[in-house]
Amino acid sequence: MTDDKITTVELGNGGPQVGVQGLGCMGMSEFYGDTDEAAARETLETALAAGVTLFDTADIYGSGANETFLAPFVGAHRDEITLATKFAIERRDDDPHYRAVRNDPAYIRKAVEESLRRLDTEVIDLYYMHRRDPAVPLAESVGAMAELVQQGKVKQLGLSEVTGAELREAHAVHPIAALQSEWSLFSRDVELSAVPAAVELGVTLVPYSPLGRGFLTGAFTDAAKELSEGDFRKHQPRFTGDNAKKNAALLEPVHKIAAAHGASAAQVALAWVQQRAQVHGLTVVPIPGTRKSSRLLENLAATRLTLTEGELAQLEPIAGQVAGDRYPDMSSTATARE
């Protein structure tokens, strides 16, 4: 990694210029074990200095704690960053396992006010619907989101985990700037219908978990045995038992290509995602998450790594051989509605 900042791309049609790689902030508050808050804050500053400007959070992360955590950073750099947060997954303080998907307009209006308060800002740059509730007409949900734009509370709208048909339907109500969905060497469901729709509509793809939640980097090989209590990867089918063993074996070409470039497996996995922009003809801004400045700089170096056609061909079969689903319950994903 040199001292030069990463390049920028336009977020959606007519949106702000953002660094070609963003930062997912979820793990700074929950899901991946204990966090060193001081190190996480240092990582935020390191990211901005290196040209990262899209910072991604959600109201579900730490039940609002992640938004509160980000507030001082947002306040200090409000004009330098593009702030993204999400609504739609409801939690309860009295039941840590409770999850419900809410897309009704009343909930959306309430959720945005709470996010604005926690983030201590007057406007959210990119506001996503985190998950889709098919029981609520999409036009009602996106219509309520569009009202937030008209009111000056939100600048751009995004969706997460929707199909191509749903993206087109939503875009007809109000322009959608970004689609955030899982996209990695292990997860290519999004290419079925959502990517073609995004290309057609000029929607930016924001891949989450581009490093397969750390599995693609070799950070762990069996979540059940190696990760701490409270780490949600212990419950994801791909990362435990026989599935984990089978999936670890699929990484051999990743490591081989990394060695050829003098790069890490993480950099190869991220470079693959970044190059989807050229492969499909759309803007791609992955948001790998990390709590460490050293990992952040490693990830950003992937923006300068170009894989050859031969190397891309070696990586092509991996996703089709992965054992296990992305989540224990796939009902709230776009895959379930394809």
Side-chain angles (χ1 to χ4, degrees):
M1 186 76 187
T2 70
D3 292 332
D4 297 332
K5 291 186 176 183
I6 59 174
T7 58
T8 63
V9 292
E10 186 177 76
L11 183 66
N13 285 321
Q17 289 288 314
V18 298
V20 73
Q21 190 180 116
L23 180 62
C25 300
M26 178 181 80
M28 294 179 176
S29 297
E30 193 183 17
F31 300 108
Y32 293 110
D34 295 336
T35 294
D36 181 332
E37 186 171 307
R41 293 199 180 282
E42 179 185 343
T43 300
L44 293 172
E45 297 291 346
T46 300
L48 183 59
V52 174
T53 54
L54 178 62
F55 292 85
D56 183 90
T57 182
D59 58 6
I60 186 182
Y61 302 159
S63 296
N66 195 239
E67 291 180 326
T68 301
F69 168 79
L70 286 175
F73 175 76
V74 172
H77 303 288
R78 192 66 193 90
D79 295 335
E80 303 169 76
I81 68 171
T82 297
L83 175 64
T85 191
K86 317 178 199 71
F87 75 89
I89 305 178
E90 186 179 42
R91 300 178 72 170
R92 289 179 179 170
D93 293 338
D94 60 352
D95 183 356
H97 302 294
Y98 177 83
R99 301 287 190 277
V101 177
R102 294 281 302 275
N103 290 173
D104 55 284
Y107 182 81
I108 295 170
R109 298 182 191 108
K110 177 174 178 284
V112 74
E113 295 298 340
E114 292 177 350
S115 286
L116 288 167
R117 175 181 55 78
R118 285 189 294 261
L119 289 162
D120 195 20
T121 188
E122 294 181 355
V123 62
I124 293 164
D125 298 314
L126 177 58
Y127 199 43
Y128 287 103
M129 186 168 76
H130 205 163
R131 291 293 186 270
R132 166 98 171 93
D133 176 8
V136 179
L138 196 54
E140 287 187 16
S141 303
V142 179
M145 295 169 72
E147 290 176 6
L148 304 180
V149 177
Q150 296 162 5
Q151 294 164 5
K153 296 174 181 178
V154 169
K155 291 183 180 179
Q156 289 184 294
L157 302 184
L159 300 173
S160 180
E161 287 283 353
V162 296
T163 67
E166 290 167 340
L167 181 57
R168 289 187 181 92
E169 182 182 350
H171 196 80
V173 177
H174 186 282
I176 301 299
L179 170 62
Q180 184 175 139
S181 290
E182 188 165 355
W183 202 4
S184 73
L185 283 168
F186 267 25
S187 302
R188 297 179 61 177
D189 313 24
V190 69
E191 296 175 23
L192 183 62
S193 70
V195 165
V199 172
E200 173 189 320
L201 301 170
V203 175
T204 296
L205 251 293
V206 180
Y208 74 81
S209 298
L211 296 175
R213 306 190 188 280
F215 192 84
L216 293 172
T217 73
F220 66 97
T221 56
D222 189 324
K225 296 178 180 178
E226 300 169 46
L227 301 182
S228 62
E229 289 302 319
D231 193 313
F232 86 126
R233 292 172 292 181
K234 293 171 74 74
H235 307 290
Q236 291 189 292
R238 292 184 169 176
F239 304 145
T240 58
D242 288 342
N243 285 350
K245 183 180 293 186
K246 292 175 183 176
N247 293 336
L250 297 176
L251 298 178
E252 182 178 352
V254 178
H255 294 297
K256 182 179 178 180
I257 293 167
H261 283 275
S264 67
Q267 289 167 339
V268 171
L270 277 172
W272 181 88
V273 174
Q274 300 273 181
Q275 284 182 240
R276 298 302 91 190
Q278 288 75 47
V279 171
H280 293 281
L282 78 169
T283 302
V284 177
V285 184
I287 49 168
T290 184
R291 297 170 287 189
K292 298 178 180 178
S293 292
S294 59
R295 291 296 186 197
L296 174 105
L297 294 174
E298 176 186 343
N299 291 345
L300 292 181
T303 66
R304 298 183 178 91
L305 174 61
T306 301
L307 304 178
T308 67
E309 289 299 321
E311 289 166 343
L312 293 175
Q314 292 178 56
L315 299 172
E316 182 67 22
I318 291 177
Q321 301 174 58
V322 173
D325 284 331
R326 295 191 282 129
Y327 294 99
D329 179 0
M330 291 285 288
S331 61
S332 291
T333 68
T335 308
R337 300 189 302 278
E338 288 286 6

